[in-house]
Amino acid sequence: MLKRDFSEIKKRKTFAIISHPDSGKTTITEKILLLGNIIRCSSINRIKKSNKNLKSDWMKIEQERGITVTTSVVQFFYGKHVINLLDTPGHEDFSEDTYRILTAVDFCLIIIDSSKGVEDRTKKLMEVVSLHNIPILTFINKIDREGISTIFLLDQIEKELEIFCSPIVWPLGRGGSLKGIYNFQNSSFISRNIKGSILTNEKQKKLEFINIEESLKSILKKKFEFDIFLDFKKELKLVKKKYFSFSVDNFLDGIITPVFFGSALHSIGIAPMFDFLIKYAPTPKKKKSDVRIVFSNEKKFSGFVFKIQANMDLRHRDRIAFLRIVSGKYFSGIKLKQTRTGKFFIIRKAIYCLGNERKIVNKAYPGDIIGICNNNSIKIGDTFTEGEQIKFLGIPNFSPEFFCSVSLKNPMKKKQLSKGLTQMFEEGAIQIFKPIVSNCIILGAVGKLQFDVISRRLQIEYQVEIVLKKVNIVAIRWVFCNDIKKLRFFKNNNSMQLAFDNEDYLVYIATSLFELKMIVNKNPNIIFKKFREC
Ligand code: G4P
């Protein structure tokens, strides 16, 4: 790889922000975009209501329910760095999408609401993050509100998320008496903007790093404020003793999480967190494939598809595959092999997506996410190379938790239904099962709301009206066995409970967890899997 291309890799930071809903993910994302000059003035409402291109809510259901279902990627410059920020669906019913996005990032920023502490969804997401061994930074938000004690919050993170905390900043005061934030790394103090108005990047910079004693003299005018200061000094001593001091290696190994406190709404603590991220968060490194580990500085192009979004623009009925570049360099006209099929594609027009706004990409490097417009030929999990026969690992299909049978209101629309369902399966929005002994179609989803989305999208995009009926299924497991005779025997004995998924993998359909346990115990030669590689 050329020296110039290598320095491009070192400039890149690719990450996602994850949190329990309402912790402030949207607000923080907006403030980060403000830092990156992607947007020029800050108002969540402005973004939510008028500039729809910046939000990934181009689907009607998102607008109606006020949730983020789909995912967009934002690329922007911050100084000489290139930031790829992947938005994730906020609602837990779309967590499968979030899990896949985590395979495409190099690190994560976890947001915790300081008045609520570690919540359920954060715990679940953290389990997935741990599976992929991704370094995480933690931002404890809403410290402008009274809430759980700061020390208690850190202890809770260590216990519930099973990671050691390394506080990088510490708040002076809380809620209404919040005065600002002390930075352990350079012993500086960032004072709160009293007016609470939203700061632009430059103004924020000017306020940073004033000498602590000097700034405190002007800030702490009243006696009770000096009491807050004394508590704060005690806390600083305790924190230094109790928690890990920051080490890059421990951070990159996922042993510690650097912790920041702030208020996204009032732009407190965002800039120092982001500057830290730029300095210490990992650049694109390597990815495991079925044959070998592929390093980002290799000359030849490789990448994998982690998301497919269809019909982002209804007028064009397009379908975009989001591909994360692992190694090499993308340029217009590159010839790439889809290793699943062995077919070669010439990619002339890759795009960056920002909501439903597109930009043509001329060059892209490891860490970048490019969108490839395609017909139905690309699937989630596909690997693309310049010819090498490898497949990147770790892009999963999860076992659904909710099931429905689907039937048509108008039986003449069978073809459209099949097309629509296949489309949504390939996007990873739904899973389709066809029982061996019946003609019905069973849909499986990780969250209930996915069924509403499917039903609505079939109606809008394919003009198909469906009836969904709840079925008595509690779980499915993918069935694998190397011994063909034993597998045949198992199939003959359990045909009533077996189905094929949309890619003809065999699945066991369980009507109760007890039954599932029994069947697993009774068949030690059969492997029952909760997820399978895409
Ligand atoms: P999410 O994407 O994680 O779901 O959270 P979002 O940013 O939408 O924030 C959820 C609510 O929390 C919003 O209020 C938002 O204004 C508020 N919020 C975010 N950061 C802070 C903070 O630092 N301090 C305080 N006090 N509040 C914060 P909302 O009333 O639900 O919505 P809105 O009407 O303000 O848009």
Side-chain angles (χ1 to χ4, degrees), residues 317-350:
R317 284 209 159 262
D318 61 353
R319 189 172 181 272
I320 292 171
F322 290 88
L323 180 140
R324 151 85 199 225
I325 302 178
V326 177
S327 66
K329 176 173 151 186
Y330 164 83
F331 53 89
S332 171
I334 192 170
K335 192 173 169 190
L336 294 179
K337 179 180 173 184
Q338 181 185 38
T339 62
R340 177 173 56 85
T341 60
K343 277 190 204 155
F344 277 88
F345 290 72
I346 293 181
I347 317 283
R348 297 200 195 281
K349 213 175 99 177

PDB file of all heavy atoms in Angstrom, residues 317-350:
ATOM      1  N   ARG A 317     -37.087   3.108  -6.665  1.00  0.00           N
ATOM      2  CA  ARG A 317     -37.137   1.703  -6.210  1.00  0.00           C
ATOM      3  C   ARG A 317     -35.731   1.111  -6.101  1.00  0.00           C
ATOM      4  O   ARG A 317     -35.421   0.046  -6.613  1.00  0.00           O
ATOM      5  CB  ARG A 317     -37.954   0.843  -7.183  1.00  0.00           C
ATOM      6  CG  ARG A 317     -39.418   1.047  -7.046  1.00  0.00           C
ATOM      7  CD  ARG A 317     -40.178  -0.203  -7.432  1.00  0.00           C
ATOM      8  NE  ARG A 317     -41.495  -0.177  -6.835  1.00  0.00           N
ATOM      9  CZ  ARG A 317     -41.799  -0.804  -5.714  1.00  0.00           C
ATOM     10  NH1 ARG A 317     -40.923  -1.518  -5.077  1.00  0.00           N
ATOM     11  NH2 ARG A 317     -43.011  -0.732  -5.210  1.00  0.00           N
ATOM     12  N   ASP A 318     -34.858   1.860  -5.469  1.00  0.00           N
ATOM     13  CA  ASP A 318     -33.477   1.386  -5.425  1.00  0.00           C
ATOM     14  C   ASP A 318     -33.212   0.526  -4.198  1.00  0.00           C
ATOM     15  O   ASP A 318     -34.040   0.399  -3.298  1.00  0.00           O
ATOM     16  CB  ASP A 318     -32.505   2.569  -5.476  1.00  0.00           C
ATOM     17  CG  ASP A 318     -32.710   3.494  -4.291  1.00  0.00           C
ATOM     18  OD1 ASP A 318     -33.666   3.274  -3.533  1.00  0.00           O
ATOM     19  OD2 ASP A 318     -31.909   4.420  -4.127  1.00  0.00           O
ATOM     20  N   ARG A 319     -32.016  -0.019  -4.177  1.00  0.00           N
ATOM     21  CA  ARG A 319     -31.639  -0.945  -3.111  1.00  0.00           C
ATOM     22  C   ARG A 319     -30.164  -0.692  -2.861  1.00  0.00           C
ATOM     23  O   ARG A 319     -29.347  -0.810  -3.774  1.00  0.00           O
ATOM     24  CB  ARG A 319     -31.870  -2.363  -3.639  1.00  0.00           C
ATOM     25  CG  ARG A 319     -31.752  -3.456  -2.632  1.00  0.00           C
ATOM     26  CD  ARG A 319     -32.203  -4.721  -3.332  1.00  0.00           C
ATOM     27  NE  ARG A 319     -32.157  -5.862  -2.456  1.00  0.00           N
ATOM     28  CZ  ARG A 319     -31.084  -6.616  -2.291  1.00  0.00           C
ATOM     29  NH1 ARG A 319     -29.981  -6.348  -2.940  1.00  0.00           N
ATOM     30  NH2 ARG A 319     -31.122  -7.648  -1.467  1.00  0.00           N
ATOM     31  N   ILE A 320     -29.831  -0.317  -1.649  1.00  0.00           N
ATOM     32  CA  ILE A 320     -28.446   0.042  -1.385  1.00  0.00           C
ATOM     33  C   ILE A 320     -27.821  -0.928  -0.396  1.00  0.00           C
ATOM     34  O   ILE A 320     -28.395  -1.211   0.661  1.00  0.00           O
ATOM     35  CB  ILE A 320     -28.352   1.487  -0.855  1.00  0.00           C
ATOM     36  CG1 ILE A 320     -28.747   2.436  -1.988  1.00  0.00           C
ATOM     37  CG2 ILE A 320     -26.953   1.832  -0.367  1.00  0.00           C
ATOM     38  CD1 ILE A 320     -28.909   3.841  -1.594  1.00  0.00           C
ATOM     39  N   ALA A 321     -26.663  -1.457  -0.783  1.00  0.00           N
ATOM     40  CA  ALA A 321     -25.925  -2.342   0.119  1.00  0.00           C
ATOM     41  C   ALA A 321     -24.851  -1.498   0.787  1.00  0.00           C
ATOM     42  O   ALA A 321     -24.077  -0.819   0.106  1.00  0.00           O
ATOM     43  CB  ALA A 321     -25.304  -3.475  -0.681  1.00  0.00           C
ATOM     44  N   PHE A 322     -24.819  -1.503   2.119  1.00  0.00           N
ATOM     45  CA  PHE A 322     -23.799  -0.748   2.851  1.00  0.00           C
ATOM     46  C   PHE A 322     -22.599  -1.658   3.086  1.00  0.00           C
ATOM     47  O   PHE A 322     -22.727  -2.719   3.720  1.00  0.00           O
ATOM     48  CB  PHE A 322     -24.345  -0.245   4.188  1.00  0.00           C
ATOM     49  CG  PHE A 322     -25.368   0.844   4.035  1.00  0.00           C
ATOM     50  CD1 PHE A 322     -26.714   0.543   3.876  1.00  0.00           C
ATOM     51  CD2 PHE A 322     -24.988   2.180   4.028  1.00  0.00           C
ATOM     52  CE1 PHE A 322     -27.663   1.537   3.724  1.00  0.00           C
ATOM     53  CE2 PHE A 322     -25.932   3.188   3.871  1.00  0.00           C
ATOM     54  CZ  PHE A 322     -27.268   2.870   3.721  1.00  0.00           C
ATOM     55  N   LEU A 323     -21.463  -1.240   2.559  1.00  0.00           N
ATOM     56  CA  LEU A 323     -20.268  -2.081   2.626  1.00  0.00           C
ATOM     57  C   LEU A 323     -19.188  -1.389   3.454  1.00  0.00           C
ATOM     58  O   LEU A 323     -18.896  -0.214   3.249  1.00  0.00           O
ATOM     59  CB  LEU A 323     -19.756  -2.328   1.205  1.00  0.00           C
ATOM     60  CG  LEU A 323     -18.514  -3.191   1.065  1.00  0.00           C
ATOM     61  CD1 LEU A 323     -18.654  -4.131  -0.134  1.00  0.00           C
ATOM     62  CD2 LEU A 323     -17.245  -2.379   0.906  1.00  0.00           C
ATOM     63  N   ARG A 324     -18.642  -2.129   4.405  1.00  0.00           N
ATOM     64  CA  ARG A 324     -17.536  -1.596   5.209  1.00  0.00           C
ATOM     65  C   ARG A 324     -16.234  -2.048   4.547  1.00  0.00           C
ATOM     66  O   ARG A 324     -16.025  -3.247   4.307  1.00  0.00           O
ATOM     67  CB  ARG A 324     -17.647  -2.136   6.634  1.00  0.00           C
ATOM     68  CG  ARG A 324     -16.353  -2.284   7.399  1.00  0.00           C
ATOM     69  CD  ARG A 324     -15.914  -1.005   8.099  1.00  0.00           C
ATOM     70  NE  ARG A 324     -14.504  -1.070   8.420  1.00  0.00           N
ATOM     71  CZ  ARG A 324     -13.966  -0.725   9.562  1.00  0.00           C
ATOM     72  NH1 ARG A 324     -14.715  -0.266  10.519  1.00  0.00           N
ATOM     73  NH2 ARG A 324     -12.670  -0.810   9.756  1.00  0.00           N
ATOM     74  N   ILE A 325     -15.365  -1.096   4.251  1.00  0.00           N
ATOM     75  CA  ILE A 325     -14.081  -1.449   3.635  1.00  0.00           C
ATOM     76  C   ILE A 325     -13.131  -1.931   4.724  1.00  0.00           C
ATOM     77  O   ILE A 325     -12.959  -1.264   5.754  1.00  0.00           O
ATOM     78  CB  ILE A 325     -13.472  -0.258   2.873  1.00  0.00           C
ATOM     79  CG1 ILE A 325     -14.460   0.219   1.803  1.00  0.00           C
ATOM     80  CG2 ILE A 325     -12.133  -0.642   2.254  1.00  0.00           C
ATOM     81  CD1 ILE A 325     -13.998   1.426   1.009  1.00  0.00           C
ATOM     82  N   VAL A 326     -12.530  -3.104   4.505  1.00  0.00           N
ATOM     83  CA  VAL A 326     -11.593  -3.679   5.486  1.00  0.00           C
ATOM     84  C   VAL A 326     -10.153  -3.374   5.074  1.00  0.00           C
ATOM     85  O   VAL A 326      -9.318  -3.015   5.898  1.00  0.00           O
ATOM     86  CB  VAL A 326     -11.808  -5.209   5.621  1.00  0.00           C
ATOM     87  CG1 VAL A 326     -10.783  -5.812   6.577  1.00  0.00           C
ATOM     88  CG2 VAL A 326     -13.220  -5.507   6.103  1.00  0.00           C
ATOM     89  N   SER A 327      -9.852  -3.525   3.763  1.00  0.00           N
ATOM     90  CA  SER A 327      -8.480  -3.275   3.311  1.00  0.00           C
ATOM     91  C   SER A 327      -8.512  -2.676   1.906  1.00  0.00           C
ATOM     92  O   SER A 327      -9.532  -2.715   1.228  1.00  0.00           O
ATOM     93  CB  SER A 327      -7.682  -4.586   3.292  1.00  0.00           C
ATOM     94  OG  SER A 327      -8.213  -5.446   2.306  1.00  0.00           O
ATOM     95  N   GLY A 328      -7.352  -2.170   1.471  1.00  0.00           N
ATOM     96  CA  GLY A 328      -7.237  -1.643   0.109  1.00  0.00           C
ATOM     97  C   GLY A 328      -7.938  -0.315  -0.065  1.00  0.00           C
ATOM     98  O   GLY A 328      -8.217   0.391   0.899  1.00  0.00           O
ATOM     99  N   LYS A 329      -8.232  -0.013  -1.320  1.00  0.00           N
ATOM    100  CA  LYS A 329      -8.788   1.303  -1.626  1.00  0.00           C
ATOM    101  C   LYS A 329      -9.900   1.145  -2.665  1.00  0.00           C
ATOM    102  O   LYS A 329      -9.749   0.377  -3.615  1.00  0.00           O
ATOM    103  CB  LYS A 329      -7.639   2.125  -2.204  1.00  0.00           C
ATOM    104  CG  LYS A 329      -7.963   3.486  -2.675  1.00  0.00           C
ATOM    105  CD  LYS A 329      -6.644   4.154  -3.040  1.00  0.00           C
ATOM    106  CE  LYS A 329      -6.778   5.176  -4.106  1.00  0.00           C
ATOM    107  NZ  LYS A 329      -5.479   5.697  -4.526  1.00  0.00           N
ATOM    108  N   TYR A 330     -11.002   1.861  -2.452  1.00  0.00           N
ATOM    109  CA  TYR A 330     -12.061   1.852  -3.459  1.00  0.00           C
ATOM    110  C   TYR A 330     -11.821   3.003  -4.438  1.00  0.00           C
ATOM    111  O   TYR A 330     -11.449   4.107  -4.033  1.00  0.00           O
ATOM    112  CB  TYR A 330     -13.443   2.027  -2.803  1.00  0.00           C
ATOM    113  CG  TYR A 330     -14.481   2.411  -3.833  1.00  0.00           C
ATOM    114  CD1 TYR A 330     -15.099   1.447  -4.604  1.00  0.00           C
ATOM    115  CD2 TYR A 330     -14.781   3.755  -4.081  1.00  0.00           C
ATOM    116  CE1 TYR A 330     -15.996   1.801  -5.602  1.00  0.00           C
ATOM    117  CE2 TYR A 330     -15.677   4.121  -5.071  1.00  0.00           C
ATOM    118  CZ  TYR A 330     -16.284   3.139  -5.829  1.00  0.00           C
ATOM    119  OH  TYR A 330     -17.158   3.497  -6.810  1.00  0.00           O
ATOM    120  N   PHE A 331     -12.010   2.736  -5.713  1.00  0.00           N
ATOM    121  CA  PHE A 331     -12.042   3.815  -6.704  1.00  0.00           C
ATOM    122  C   PHE A 331     -13.107   3.452  -7.733  1.00  0.00           C
ATOM    123  O   PHE A 331     -13.459   2.264  -7.889  1.00  0.00           O
ATOM    124  CB  PHE A 331     -10.673   3.999  -7.375  1.00  0.00           C
ATOM    125  CG  PHE A 331     -10.128   2.719  -7.956  1.00  0.00           C
ATOM    126  CD1 PHE A 331     -10.436   2.341  -9.255  1.00  0.00           C
ATOM    127  CD2 PHE A 331      -9.336   1.875  -7.177  1.00  0.00           C
ATOM    128  CE1 PHE A 331      -9.962   1.146  -9.780  1.00  0.00           C
ATOM    129  CE2 PHE A 331      -8.867   0.668  -7.702  1.00  0.00           C
ATOM    130  CZ  PHE A 331      -9.173   0.300  -9.004  1.00  0.00           C
ATOM    131  N   SER A 332     -13.626   4.459  -8.372  1.00  0.00           N
ATOM    132  CA  SER A 332     -14.701   4.221  -9.332  1.00  0.00           C
ATOM    133  C   SER A 332     -14.182   3.337 -10.475  1.00  0.00           C
ATOM    134  O   SER A 332     -13.113   3.589 -11.027  1.00  0.00           O
ATOM    135  CB  SER A 332     -15.195   5.564  -9.857  1.00  0.00           C
ATOM    136  OG  SER A 332     -16.070   5.328 -10.909  1.00  0.00           O
ATOM    137  N   GLY A 333     -14.932   2.288 -10.785  1.00  0.00           N
ATOM    138  CA  GLY A 333     -14.539   1.374 -11.855  1.00  0.00           C
ATOM    139  C   GLY A 333     -13.817   0.136 -11.337  1.00  0.00           C
ATOM    140  O   GLY A 333     -13.396  -0.713 -12.123  1.00  0.00           O
ATOM    141  N   ILE A 334     -13.688   0.013 -10.024  1.00  0.00           N
ATOM    142  CA  ILE A 334     -12.985  -1.146  -9.450  1.00  0.00           C
ATOM    143  C   ILE A 334     -13.787  -2.430  -9.758  1.00  0.00           C
ATOM    144  O   ILE A 334     -15.030  -2.423  -9.750  1.00  0.00           O
ATOM    145  CB  ILE A 334     -12.775  -0.972  -7.915  1.00  0.00           C
ATOM    146  CG1 ILE A 334     -11.797  -2.023  -7.381  1.00  0.00           C
ATOM    147  CG2 ILE A 334     -14.085  -1.023  -7.158  1.00  0.00           C
ATOM    148  CD1 ILE A 334     -11.342  -1.775  -5.941  1.00  0.00           C
ATOM    149  N   LYS A 335     -13.034  -3.518 -10.048  1.00  0.00           N
ATOM    150  CA  LYS A 335     -13.690  -4.794 -10.353  1.00  0.00           C
ATOM    151  C   LYS A 335     -13.617  -5.669  -9.107  1.00  0.00           C
ATOM    152  O   LYS A 335     -12.523  -5.963  -8.610  1.00  0.00           O
ATOM    153  CB  LYS A 335     -12.939  -5.460 -11.510  1.00  0.00           C
ATOM    154  CG  LYS A 335     -13.665  -6.633 -12.104  1.00  0.00           C
ATOM    155  CD  LYS A 335     -12.914  -7.105 -13.336  1.00  0.00           C
ATOM    156  CE  LYS A 335     -13.432  -8.423 -13.831  1.00  0.00           C
ATOM    157  NZ  LYS A 335     -12.577  -8.999 -14.852  1.00  0.00           N
ATOM    158  N   LEU A 336     -14.770  -6.040  -8.590  1.00  0.00           N
ATOM    159  CA  LEU A 336     -14.779  -6.785  -7.321  1.00  0.00           C
ATOM    160  C   LEU A 336     -15.510  -8.113  -7.448  1.00  0.00           C
ATOM    161  O   LEU A 336     -16.517  -8.218  -8.153  1.00  0.00           O
ATOM    162  CB  LEU A 336     -15.458  -5.950  -6.231  1.00  0.00           C
ATOM    163  CG  LEU A 336     -14.746  -4.675  -5.802  1.00  0.00           C
ATOM    164  CD1 LEU A 336     -15.558  -3.950  -4.740  1.00  0.00           C
ATOM    165  CD2 LEU A 336     -13.340  -4.976  -5.269  1.00  0.00           C
ATOM    166  N   LYS A 337     -14.969  -9.093  -6.702  1.00  0.00           N
ATOM    167  CA  LYS A 337     -15.585 -10.424  -6.718  1.00  0.00           C
ATOM    168  C   LYS A 337     -16.489 -10.580  -5.497  1.00  0.00           C
ATOM    169  O   LYS A 337     -16.083 -10.286  -4.370  1.00  0.00           O
ATOM    170  CB  LYS A 337     -14.479 -11.479  -6.660  1.00  0.00           C
ATOM    171  CG  LYS A 337     -14.974 -12.909  -6.656  1.00  0.00           C
ATOM    172  CD  LYS A 337     -13.768 -13.831  -6.600  1.00  0.00           C
ATOM    173  CE  LYS A 337     -14.144 -15.276  -6.426  1.00  0.00           C
ATOM    174  NZ  LYS A 337     -12.968 -16.120  -6.274  1.00  0.00           N
ATOM    175  N   GLN A 338     -17.717 -11.025  -5.751  1.00  0.00           N
ATOM    176  CA  GLN A 338     -18.634 -11.368  -4.661  1.00  0.00           C
ATOM    177  C   GLN A 338     -18.308 -12.820  -4.328  1.00  0.00           C
ATOM    178  O   GLN A 338     -18.591 -13.715  -5.135  1.00  0.00           O
ATOM    179  CB  GLN A 338     -20.066 -11.221  -5.172  1.00  0.00           C
ATOM    180  CG  GLN A 338     -21.144 -11.518  -4.172  1.00  0.00           C
ATOM    181  CD  GLN A 338     -22.513 -11.443  -4.836  1.00  0.00           C
ATOM    182  OE1 GLN A 338     -22.670 -11.860  -5.992  1.00  0.00           O
ATOM    183  NE2 GLN A 338     -23.486 -10.931  -4.127  1.00  0.00           N
ATOM    184  N   THR A 339     -17.667 -13.049  -3.191  1.00  0.00           N
ATOM    185  CA  THR A 339     -17.081 -14.378  -2.983  1.00  0.00           C
ATOM    186  C   THR A 339     -18.147 -15.470  -2.782  1.00  0.00           C
ATOM    187  O   THR A 339     -17.872 -16.637  -2.977  1.00  0.00           O
ATOM    188  CB  THR A 339     -16.077 -14.380  -1.808  1.00  0.00           C
ATOM    189  OG1 THR A 339     -16.784 -14.033  -0.613  1.00  0.00           O
ATOM    190  CG2 THR A 339     -14.952 -13.405  -2.034  1.00  0.00           C
ATOM    191  N   ARG A 340     -19.362 -15.090  -2.397  1.00  0.00           N
ATOM    192  CA  ARG A 340     -20.432 -16.086  -2.235  1.00  0.00           C
ATOM    193  C   ARG A 340     -20.803 -16.731  -3.560  1.00  0.00           C
ATOM    194  O   ARG A 340     -21.062 -17.925  -3.643  1.00  0.00           O
ATOM    195  CB  ARG A 340     -21.663 -15.411  -1.606  1.00  0.00           C
ATOM    196  CG  ARG A 340     -22.885 -16.312  -1.453  1.00  0.00           C
ATOM    197  CD  ARG A 340     -23.986 -15.607  -0.682  1.00  0.00           C
ATOM    198  NE  ARG A 340     -24.385 -14.337  -1.271  1.00  0.00           N
ATOM    199  CZ  ARG A 340     -25.279 -14.200  -2.249  1.00  0.00           C
ATOM    200  NH1 ARG A 340     -25.879 -15.249  -2.750  1.00  0.00           N
ATOM    201  NH2 ARG A 340     -25.583 -13.008  -2.719  1.00  0.00           N
ATOM    202  N   THR A 341     -20.824 -15.918  -4.619  1.00  0.00           N
ATOM    203  CA  THR A 341     -21.270 -16.449  -5.909  1.00  0.00           C
ATOM    204  C   THR A 341     -20.118 -16.624  -6.906  1.00  0.00           C
ATOM    205  O   THR A 341     -20.262 -17.298  -7.907  1.00  0.00           O
ATOM    206  CB  THR A 341     -22.285 -15.481  -6.546  1.00  0.00           C
ATOM    207  OG1 THR A 341     -21.623 -14.219  -6.716  1.00  0.00           O
ATOM    208  CG2 THR A 341     -23.517 -15.299  -5.710  1.00  0.00           C
ATOM    209  N   GLY A 342     -19.000 -15.981  -6.625  1.00  0.00           N
ATOM    210  CA  GLY A 342     -17.880 -16.025  -7.563  1.00  0.00           C
ATOM    211  C   GLY A 342     -18.023 -15.020  -8.703  1.00  0.00           C
ATOM    212  O   GLY A 342     -17.160 -14.913  -9.565  1.00  0.00           O
ATOM    213  N   LYS A 343     -19.134 -14.258  -8.685  1.00  0.00           N
ATOM    214  CA  LYS A 343     -19.378 -13.289  -9.767  1.00  0.00           C
ATOM    215  C   LYS A 343     -18.531 -12.038  -9.574  1.00  0.00           C
ATOM    216  O   LYS A 343     -18.284 -11.625  -8.440  1.00  0.00           O
ATOM    217  CB  LYS A 343     -20.847 -12.839  -9.749  1.00  0.00           C
ATOM    218  CG  LYS A 343     -21.777 -13.762 -10.446  1.00  0.00           C
ATOM    219  CD  LYS A 343     -23.118 -13.041 -10.552  1.00  0.00           C
ATOM    220  CE  LYS A 343     -24.243 -14.029 -10.699  1.00  0.00           C
ATOM    221  NZ  LYS A 343     -25.514 -13.488 -10.235  1.00  0.00           N
ATOM    222  N   PHE A 344     -18.133 -11.412 -10.705  1.00  0.00           N
ATOM    223  CA  PHE A 344     -17.403 -10.143 -10.627  1.00  0.00           C
ATOM    224  C   PHE A 344     -18.333  -8.985 -10.956  1.00  0.00           C
ATOM    225  O   PHE A 344     -19.199  -9.112 -11.815  1.00  0.00           O
ATOM    226  CB  PHE A 344     -16.210 -10.151 -11.593  1.00  0.00           C
ATOM    227  CG  PHE A 344     -15.007 -10.851 -10.996  1.00  0.00           C
ATOM    228  CD1 PHE A 344     -14.844 -12.232 -11.130  1.00  0.00           C
ATOM    229  CD2 PHE A 344     -14.062 -10.129 -10.283  1.00  0.00           C
ATOM    230  CE1 PHE A 344     -13.755 -12.876 -10.567  1.00  0.00           C
ATOM    231  CE2 PHE A 344     -12.959 -10.764  -9.716  1.00  0.00           C
ATOM    232  CZ  PHE A 344     -12.802 -12.137  -9.858  1.00  0.00           C
ATOM    233  N   PHE A 345     -18.173  -7.885 -10.235  1.00  0.00           N
ATOM    234  CA  PHE A 345     -18.964  -6.675 -10.491  1.00  0.00           C
ATOM    235  C   PHE A 345     -17.992  -5.530 -10.761  1.00  0.00           C
ATOM    236  O   PHE A 345     -16.954  -5.452 -10.117  1.00  0.00           O
ATOM    237  CB  PHE A 345     -19.743  -6.245  -9.235  1.00  0.00           C
ATOM    238  CG  PHE A 345     -20.874  -7.136  -8.835  1.00  0.00           C
ATOM    239  CD1 PHE A 345     -20.646  -8.394  -8.285  1.00  0.00           C
ATOM    240  CD2 PHE A 345     -22.178  -6.698  -8.961  1.00  0.00           C
ATOM    241  CE1 PHE A 345     -21.692  -9.205  -7.889  1.00  0.00           C
ATOM    242  CE2 PHE A 345     -23.232  -7.506  -8.569  1.00  0.00           C
ATOM    243  CZ  PHE A 345     -22.990  -8.757  -8.032  1.00  0.00           C
ATOM    244  N   ILE A 346     -18.349  -4.652 -11.673  1.00  0.00           N
ATOM    245  CA  ILE A 346     -17.562  -3.418 -11.803  1.00  0.00           C
ATOM    246  C   ILE A 346     -18.368  -2.327 -11.098  1.00  0.00           C
ATOM    247  O   ILE A 346     -19.525  -2.063 -11.451  1.00  0.00           O
ATOM    248  CB  ILE A 346     -17.302  -3.059 -13.272  1.00  0.00           C
ATOM    249  CG1 ILE A 346     -16.386  -4.139 -13.865  1.00  0.00           C
ATOM    250  CG2 ILE A 346     -16.645  -1.676 -13.396  1.00  0.00           C
ATOM    251  CD1 ILE A 346     -16.006  -3.946 -15.296  1.00  0.00           C
ATOM    252  N   ILE A 347     -17.786  -1.760 -10.042  1.00  0.00           N
ATOM    253  CA  ILE A 347     -18.522  -0.751  -9.271  1.00  0.00           C
ATOM    254  C   ILE A 347     -18.117   0.631  -9.779  1.00  0.00           C
ATOM    255  O   ILE A 347     -17.000   1.066  -9.569  1.00  0.00           O
ATOM    256  CB  ILE A 347     -18.219  -0.858  -7.747  1.00  0.00           C
ATOM    257  CG1 ILE A 347     -18.201  -2.316  -7.265  1.00  0.00           C
ATOM    258  CG2 ILE A 347     -19.165   0.016  -6.929  1.00  0.00           C
ATOM    259  CD1 ILE A 347     -19.519  -2.970  -7.085  1.00  0.00           C
ATOM    260  N   ARG A 348     -19.074   1.279 -10.444  1.00  0.00           N
ATOM    261  CA  ARG A 348     -18.746   2.587 -11.019  1.00  0.00           C
ATOM    262  C   ARG A 348     -19.242   3.733 -10.152  1.00  0.00           C
ATOM    263  O   ARG A 348     -18.721   4.824 -10.193  1.00  0.00           O
ATOM    264  CB  ARG A 348     -19.396   2.731 -12.406  1.00  0.00           C
ATOM    265  CG  ARG A 348     -18.864   1.725 -13.378  1.00  0.00           C
ATOM    266  CD  ARG A 348     -19.117   2.154 -14.820  1.00  0.00           C
ATOM    267  NE  ARG A 348     -18.912   1.012 -15.694  1.00  0.00           N
ATOM    268  CZ  ARG A 348     -17.735   0.582 -16.063  1.00  0.00           C
ATOM    269  NH1 ARG A 348     -16.645   1.212 -15.655  1.00  0.00           N
ATOM    270  NH2 ARG A 348     -17.610  -0.493 -16.832  1.00  0.00           N
ATOM    271  N   LYS A 349     -20.297   3.440  -9.378  1.00  0.00           N
ATOM    272  CA  LYS A 349     -20.924   4.564  -8.680  1.00  0.00           C
ATOM    273  C   LYS A 349     -21.264   4.182  -7.242  1.00  0.00           C
ATOM    274  O   LYS A 349     -22.410   3.859  -6.938  1.00  0.00           O
ATOM    275  CB  LYS A 349     -22.193   4.956  -9.444  1.00  0.00           C
ATOM    276  CG  LYS A 349     -22.495   6.432  -9.381  1.00  0.00           C
ATOM    277  CD  LYS A 349     -23.674   6.780 -10.253  1.00  0.00           C
ATOM    278  CE  LYS A 349     -24.932   6.899  -9.434  1.00  0.00           C
ATOM    279  NZ  LYS A 349     -26.109   7.297 -10.180  1.00  0.00           N
ATOM    280  N   ALA A 350     -20.251   4.208  -6.372  1.00  0.00           N
ATOM    281  CA  ALA A 350     -20.565   3.986  -4.960  1.00  0.00           C
ATOM    282  C   ALA A 350     -20.993   5.332  -4.380  1.00  0.00           C
ATOM    283  O   ALA A 350     -20.620   6.385  -4.888  1.00  0.00           O
ATOM    284  CB  ALA A 350     -19.350   3.460  -4.231  1.00  0.00           C
TER     285      ALA A 350
END
